[in-house]
Amino acid sequence: MIQRDEIQLSAEGVSLSFAGISALSNVSVEARQGEILAIIGPNGAGKTSLLNCINAFYRPDKGRIIFEGHDLTHLPPHRIAGLGVARTFQNIALYTGLSTLDNLMAARHLHMHAGFLKSLLYWGPARREDIAHREVVEEIIDFLEIEHIRKAIVGTLPYGLRKRVELGRALAMEPRLLLLDEPMSGMSQEEKEDMARFILDIHERHGKTTLLIEHDMGLVMDIADRVVVLDFGRKIAEGTPDDIRRNEVVIKAYLGEDMTE
Amino acid sequence: MSDTDTLPKSLRARFEEYGSRKIAMRKKDLGIWQSYTWQESYWQVRQLSLGLIQLGLKRGDKVCIIGDNDPQYFWAQLAIQSAGGVAVGLFTDSSPPEIQYVVHHSDAVLVFAKDQEQCDKLLEIQDQVPAVERVIYWDDKGLWNYNEPWLVSFGQVQSLGRSLDAEQPELFERLVDEGSGEDLAIFCYTSGTTGLPKGAMISHRNLIAGADSNLQIDPRSDTDEHMSFLPPAWITENVLGLAIHLRSGMVVNFPEAPETVRQNIREVAPQSVFFSARQWENMVAMVQVKIIESTWLNRFLYKIFMPVGYKVAALRFEERKPVGLLWRFLHMLGELAVFRPLRDKLGLVNAKSAYSSGAAQSPEVIRFFRAIGVNIKQLYGSTEAQTHTLHIGDDVRFETVGVPPPRMEIRIAEDGEIMVSGPTVAQGYYKNPEDSQKAFPVDEKGQRWYRTGDAGHIDSDGHLIYLDRMKEMLTLAGGEKYSPQYIEGQLKFSPYIRNVMSVGGEDKPFVTALINIDFDNVGRWAERQGLAYTTLVDLCQKPGVYELIRSDVERVNRTLPPAARVRKFVLLHKEFDADEGELTRTRKLRRKLLGEHYGDMLATMYAGADQVQVQAAVKYRDGREGVVETAVRIATLEDETSEEKQR
């Protein structure tokens, strides 16, 4: 068992550029076991780029990503998922033609052991395994209060619910590190509050390390243990929400931008 | 049945009858219907009840419950009542100040609050309800890390109960035996539109009388299924759900979540369903939308067989004629192809009785459901007296709310108010003798009545016609009461009438109506009649159209006492218009402005002329203003246009 407060994930001196334009320059971030770490920053600050580096959608030009002692920098994304890192996406990436249930069950494949032939016959161990996975998935459905859309095709669902299904899919992978890319973007105030409650409950119940990206400071400041602020690809501040609220540099970079919006 | 004169005694009787051999309740949880036998149900209640005693509950104490439809809600209520307490239900959407009011007013000493959401509300008002010893929750999600000694779990209370049961195994049975039918069982706080909520005190005898009377009308077997989705704080679910469950052994099913009721009801297919008028309407709209989105084959079958359904239903229920062999054959095909599948989709496939409540149900909706084989009945009632009237058997009429159930009496007071009396009339309002006296008068023979605050009258067949709330009734010059909303509502049920304003008042000797015809429907009717017309102005003044509308007005008049009937009406040459401020944006009438716009016309109508010259200013869509000049005929209905002549 890993101790709380132990560093679980560290990005060390990560730099990334696209065609000479720097997206991240020498960013170092550490996530401790069991905390909710929020990465905030104005549009284009490099938040999503950093997340994409962590689960290897992008390869950093410099620096490395270490998760529980594994160097993720050169691993393919599915291996990283296998190590216990799950994420949701800013613009939702689900199987839109499948039901909520099937989307969540699909996420369980990481934990499935029955071979092709046994699964095909749906017999003995394969069947038992399927039932066990369904139980895990049903717990998540209950937890996220999406019983009423269990059989609904995801593509027909409203945006706020799709975001919840996506969170459900990430949970179904039973990750040790949860990466959430703007889980509250485009939501109504009530949906945002619901989502914040779910994130807190996940954290409380399972003590999962959660790395959360958010453009909007409001609710995130209420739920995060620590906050990292990015601006133009650089880390400009790090600390508790209260520290960040009082930080001059942040106020200038972040709130200043808000006022001109 | 004096040995089962309370709900807990009824629970014990069912437990002794069925034990673990029969399912009492089901709850869908984690996608699977979990069932509880009568034995499990009984022991859940027993342990919980003794746990409440351990927490200090005494006979006569009040306990509030706020939560969704769950087995735990029913168990909590029965546990409270087994210990001699009174259960006070609260609606789940109540705000903290509303909860504070009821908890405080009812003198509750304990509160059941389902989950984090409800517990948070109680924590918010903790300081203002010092009498509450503990808050008991049954869904711990999100409450794991709460460090509040004020909150205890359902399970913790039950384990307190188990240890008391071990010490005094005869205690629970003794407590149940001590209860009597006259004891108060529940308080139902009514959401008074004026003033503060009032707590109607309802005894075990009240609930059991309501359940038994309903069972007499709609007998249920112990294999029948009930879907519990009406708020359990409401009298209706207490009688039609809990009490009938305990009296008849009917299985109660609880939905997985409030949002899944639609799906769950289909899985359960209950024998008896109860929806508001609006919910029935929504179902029709839903079917129509789904059919449009369906495959061509489904659309084709729907188009072919729905008219058959309508035709056969009209023969059976409206014309009361025998149905010919050919129609019966077609109807059988329709049953297989369309009606049964539709009923299945709506969860009505086993429905023997279907009730509508809350507002007048439009004949369109009733006809639709009759066509697919569901005969919707009206049920009219109140928290204070349960069911006042309902349609019994096939005696269903669009314009009435039915007849009183067995042992219920209806009387119309001098001023037209509906009064009810019978074993389901509540014991008064808690800590409110003044309103209790006003609402529950005792007559010279010592009989207790409930003043409903509704106006109505009884027709020659003993059916009650509900008009309106008393305070919405207007008075005519002669002192008689009439209801503009009733007349307008009933007239608008006609497909040929688009809008209508009825006019009366203390300066008017009789009631008149300004009617907008439905141009499309009347136009189609005129085409079928071979009646030529050009515009709305032309069409609405055709004598034939006047005759058509006259029959609708007479239909409504027949349901009204003579003084309240419509004596004169006109078919207007232009529609009431929201752009001219005559209607609100939600298409409600602006009576005052309409009264001014049509002031001259109304004066002419009351003066006795048979037509009126009008020059109406019209605002065209492009902003220009013009004037329409025409003569509008005034139709007069004679006094004897009533039942004698028609029947």
Side-chain angles (χ1 to χ4, degrees):
Chain A
M1 191 68 204
I2 303 162
Q3 292 276 302
R4 230 181 145 92
D5 291 343
E6 194 167 303
I7 306 292
Q8 192 179 20
L9 173 87
S10 60
E12 298 167 2
V14 173
S15 296
L16 177 73
S17 60
F18 298 105
I21 298 164
S22 170
L24 293 169
S25 43
N26 198 23
V27 174
S28 292
V29 172
E30 285 175 343
R32 294 171 198 157
Q33 176 69 30
E35 74 173 348
I36 299 182
L37 174 68
I39 299 178
I40 65 169
N43 279 331
K47 304 181 298 280
T48 301
S49 293
L50 182 61
L51 218 58
N52 283 340
C53 286
I54 292 172
N55 73 337
F57 278 23
Y58 297 157
R59 303 284 170 200
D61 304 334
K62 260 189 276 173
R64 52 184 202 149
I65 315 279
I66 308 289
F67 173 70
E68 294 183 351
H70 301 272
D71 188 340
L72 304 186
T73 326
H74 299 290
L75 289 180
H78 74 269
R79 284 287 314 280
I80 293 173
L83 288 172
V85 179
R87 78 172 281 186
T88 67
F89 294 83
Q90 194 175 344
N91 44 3
I92 307 184
L94 290 163
Y95 300 112
T96 50
L98 294 183
S99 69
T100 300
L101 183 62
D102 291 340
N103 266 284
L104 299 195
M105 286 299 278
R108 294 294 301 166
H109 81 271
L110 267 181
H111 299 274
M112 290 189 184
H113 303 293
F116 176 72
L117 192 64
K118 277 185 193 159
S119 307
L120 202 66
L121 293 171
Y122 195 66
W123 169 80
R127 180 148 191 268
R128 278 198 296 278
E129 200 184 345
D130 196 53
I131 291 171
H133 287 305
R134 177 69 186 267
E135 271 173 20
V136 174
V137 165
E138 284 293 343
E139 294 281 355
I140 292 165
I141 288 175
D142 177 61
F143 180 80
L144 294 175
E145 295 165 16
I146 48 177
E147 298 97 340
H148 59 297
I149 54 164
R150 184 187 282 124
K151 299 276 172 69
I153 300 300
V154 163
T156 64
L157 294 174
Y159 183 77
L161 279 176
R162 270 193 255 181
K163 285 233 147 188
R164 232 193 272 181
V165 175
E166 205 195 16
L167 176 60
R169 189 187 54 182
L171 289 178
M173 292 167 67
E174 293 186 83
R176 289 194 301 282
L177 173 66
L178 196 55
L179 308 175
L180 306 177
D181 193 353
E182 302 212 4
M184 300 174 203
S185 67
M187 286 189 163
S188 69
Q189 190 59 27
E190 199 186 330
E191 288 171 329
K192 279 184 187 174
E193 282 168 15
D194 278 347
M195 188 55 91
R197 189 163 54 83
F198 288 132
I199 293 170
L200 281 176
D201 282 350
I202 291 166
H203 181 247
E204 239 176 53
R205 191 77 218 249
H206 308 287
K208 278 193 212 313
T209 316
T210 305
L211 207 153
L212 173 70
I213 281 185
E214 214 19 272
H215 168 64
D216 169 18
M217 281 177 90
L219 278 165
V220 177
M221 299 294 267
D222 291 340
I223 64 174
D225 296 316
R226 283 191 318 125
V227 180
V228 166
V229 189
L230 297 184
D231 192 23
F232 293 112
R234 288 166 203 282
K235 182 165 88 176
I236 58 166
E238 182 171 358
T240 64
D242 282 339
D243 294 341
I244 298 299
R245 276 197 199 93
R246 286 193 298 263
N247 188 313
E248 293 288 330
V249 186
V250 177
I251 293 170
K252 206 169 144 211
Y254 201 92
L255 300 182
E257 181 250 9
D258 250 2
M259 272 181 254
T260 57
E261 258 185 8
Chain B
M1 290 216 276
S2 69
D3 59 327
T4 57
D5 59 353
T6 68
L7 298 186
K9 287 181 196 173
S10 304
L11 169 69
R12 185 172 59 189
R14 294 293 85 72
F15 159 61
E16 283 162 1
E17 189 178 348
Y18 301 120
S20 59
R21 295 187 311 279
K22 197 182 161 297
I23 288 168
M25 295 176 178
R26 275 190 220 99
K27 162 83 183 175
K28 197 167 188 181
D29 192 26
L30 301 181
I32 295 170
W33 286 100
Q34 318 278 348
S35 47
Y36 302 93
T37 63
W38 282 96
Q39 177 168 296
E40 286 168 290
S41 209
Y42 169 84
W43 280 97
Q44 288 276 356
V45 170
R46 178 165 169 154
Q47 291 168 358
L48 185 64
S49 183
L50 293 172
L52 297 177
I53 299 278
Q54 290 282 60
L55 292 180
L57 187 75
K58 294 187 186 55
R59 187 157 289 279
D61 280 351
K62 323 297 182 285
V63 179
C64 289
I65 317 179
I66 178 161
D68 298 308
N69 303 58
D70 284 319
Q72 287 84 350
Y73 191 108
F74 278 18
W75 292 332
Q77 178 163 337
L78 290 167
I80 295 161
Q81 292 164 345
S82 297
V86 180
V88 184
L90 278 152
F91 293 93
T92 50
D93 56 359
S94 305
S95 66
E98 286 165 345
I99 294 173
Q100 189 272 334
Y101 178 81
V102 172
V103 170
H104 176 77
H105 185 268
S106 65
D107 302 315
V109 294
L110 293 167
V111 175
F112 280 88
K114 177 182 176 171
D115 52 12
Q116 185 186 21
E117 182 187 353
Q118 306 301 347
C119 286
D120 282 349
K121 292 186 202 168
L122 280 147
L123 287 169
E124 198 178 321
I125 56 162
Q126 184 173 10
D127 298 343
Q128 300 158 55
V129 288
V132 175
E133 293 286 337
R134 283 286 191 287
V135 172
I136 303 157
Y137 59 87
W138 67 84
D139 179 354
D140 65 353
K141 190 170 118 192
L143 290 166
W144 311 296
N145 291 357
Y146 276 46
N147 201 358
E148 297 282 348
W150 201 41
L151 306 182
V152 291
S153 75
F154 207 83
Q156 282 171 308
V157 178
Q158 284 183 320
S159 68
L160 286 177
R162 270 195 294 279
S163 50
L164 183 60
D165 208 6
E167 285 164 32
Q168 304 183 51
E170 78 308 326
L171 177 62
F172 178 74
E173 295 290 334
R174 200 179 75 223
L175 289 168
V176 171
D177 286 332
E178 280 169 13
S180 111
E182 307 309 321
D183 292 349
L184 296 178
I186 56 171
F187 288 176
C188 287
Y189 276 79
T190 56
S191 52
T193 42
T194 52
L196 293 162
K198 289 176 285 195
M201 301 186 286
I202 292 149
S203 67
H204 286 278
R205 185 181 296 281
N206 287 148
L207 291 175
I208 285 172
D212 289 353
S213 145
N214 190 280
L215 284 169
Q216 225 173 314
I217 297 164
D218 285 321
R220 256 155 283 195
S221 76
D222 57 13
T223 53
D224 276 9
E225 303 283 340
H226 171 74
M227 187 73 196
S228 175
F229 64 91
L230 298 171
W234 199 23
I235 183 72
T236 314
E237 187 59 28
N238 271 282
V239 177
L240 299 184
L242 180 60
I244 287 191
H245 164 64
L246 296 174
R247 303 299 283 177
S248 70
M250 165 184 85
V251 182
V252 176
N253 298 275
F254 296 93
E256 186 163 24
E259 297 82 15
T260 61
V261 168
R262 272 264 164 269
Q263 295 156 28
N264 295 161
I265 214 167
R266 190 183 167 199
E267 294 159 7
V268 168
Q271 277 73 18
S272 177
V273 289
F274 185 102
F275 292 113
S276 70
R278 179 56 64 87
Q279 285 169 319
W280 286 110
E281 240 174 80
N282 288 346
M283 272 195 258
V284 179
M286 198 179 76
V287 168
Q288 284 162 346
V289 169
K290 295 263 172 181
I291 288 292
I292 292 170
E293 291 171 352
S294 187
T295 60
W296 70 268
L297 181 66
N298 283 343
R299 284 200 303 273
F300 173 76
L301 291 172
Y302 184 82
K303 214 174 143 191
I304 296 291
F305 286 112
M306 278 312 278
V308 177
Y310 276 111
K311 171 74 182 173
V312 171
L315 285 172
R316 267 192 202 144
F317 296 107
E318 291 178 53
E319 295 161 36
R320 295 183 186 275
K321 283 185 197 149
V323 183
L325 260 183
L326 176 65
W327 282 114
R328 264 196 254 175
F329 175 70
L330 287 174
H331 193 261
M332 211 175 67
L333 294 180
E335 172 73 13
L336 291 173
V338 177
F339 311 144
R340 197 186 148 88
L342 269 182
R343 290 205 305 276
D344 177 44
K345 285 259 187 287
L346 297 169
L348 298 170
V349 76
N350 291 330
K352 289 182 290 193
S353 55
Y355 292 103
S356 167
S357 182
Q361 184 73 70
S362 90
E364 286 308 299
V365 172
I366 295 180
R367 288 195 182 106
F368 174 87
F369 279 103
R370 281 177 174 175
I372 66 165
V374 180
N375 196 11
I376 303 177
K377 300 163 187 185
Q378 285 281 339
L379 188 149
Y380 159 58
S382 65
T383 299
E384 288 86 346
Q386 304 180 20
T387 305
H388 304 165
T389 60
L390 76 173
H391 287 131
I392 297 178
D394 276 344
D395 192 11
V396 179
R397 307 184 193 184
F398 297 151
E399 67 283 0
T400 80
V401 290
V403 295
R407 299 202 289 156
M408 202 70 176
E409 253 183 89
I410 295 276
R411 192 178 80 186
I412 305 297
E414 297 258 305
D415 58 356
E417 184 169 4
I418 303 167
M419 311 272 290
V420 295
S421 179
T424 54
V425 173
Q427 311 303 307
Y429 298 118
Y430 186 56
K431 294 200 297 193
N432 191 342
E434 197 182 320
D435 283 331
S436 299
Q437 217 157 31
K438 258 189 260 168
F440 301 93
V442 177
D443 68 11
E444 56 284 355
K445 284 178 287 181
Q447 194 173 351
R448 278 182 82 241
W449 292 83
Y450 169 60
R451 220 185 265 279
T452 61
D454 297 325
H457 67 97
I458 297 171
D459 74 6
S460 51
D461 298 320
H463 275 246
L464 181 71
I465 290 165
Y466 171 92
L467 293 173
D468 211 335
R469 295 291 295 164
M470 279 297 278
K471 59 178 191 299
E472 301 294 329
M473 300 289 286
L474 298 183
T475 311
L476 289 166
E480 306 91 346
K481 294 262 201 274
Y482 92 106
S483 160
Q485 271 93 351
Y486 174 82
I487 293 172
E488 288 156 10
Q490 292 287 323
L491 280 174
K492 275 195 283 187
F493 285 152
S494 162
Y496 302 119
I497 296 176
R498 186 173 165 82
N499 215 334
V500 52
M501 179 169 85
S502 71
V503 179
E506 282 172 352
D507 54 342
K508 310 268 191 325
F510 52 85
V511 182
T512 57
L514 308 178
I515 295 174
N516 286 153
I517 60 168
D518 188 299
F519 186 61
D520 292 337
N521 285 345
V522 175
R524 236 169 276 143
W525 173 86
E527 280 160 31
R528 282 201 302 274
Q529 305 294 312
L531 205 64
Y533 66 93
T534 56
T535 60
L536 171 69
V537 179
D538 179 40
L539 178 66
C540 77
Q541 293 308 311
K542 297 281 182 203
V545 174
Y546 263 81
E547 286 312 307
L548 176 73
I549 301 298
R550 181 191 291 271
S551 68
D552 274 322
V553 177
E554 282 171 349
R555 170 179 59 80
V556 176
N557 273 350
R558 277 200 296 280
T559 69
L560 290 166
R565 288 176 184 164
V566 175
R567 282 290 141 73
K568 287 174 192 283
F569 70 88
V570 294
L571 302 183
L572 292 175
H573 51 291
K574 62 178 286 294
E575 287 191 4
F576 297 152
D577 194 347
D579 287 339
E580 293 179 35
E582 295 177 338
L583 299 175
T584 66
R585 287 294 158 191
T586 53
R587 301 202 65 77
K588 288 200 187 93
L589 299 175
R590 285 221 168 95
R591 291 175 191 279
K592 192 154 168 280
L593 196 81
L594 281 164
E596 286 163 18
H597 282 189
Y598 291 96
D600 290 346
M601 181 182 284
L602 286 166
T604 319
M605 287 169 81
Y606 282 101
D610 59 2
Q611 68 170 38
V612 55
Q613 211 57 36
V614 289
Q615 279 193 331
V618 217
K619 203 185 277 172
Y620 295 102
R621 289 274 157 98
D622 61 3
R624 284 181 300 131
E625 295 192 12
V627 173
V628 178
E629 190 162 344
T630 184
V632 171
R633 293 140 47 87
I634 298 170
T636 304
L637 293 109
E638 297 306 327
D639 282 1
E640 62 274 11
T641 50
S642 50
E643 41 258 71
E644 300 78 39
K645 200 173 150 189
Q646 290 293 324
R647 289 197 177 177

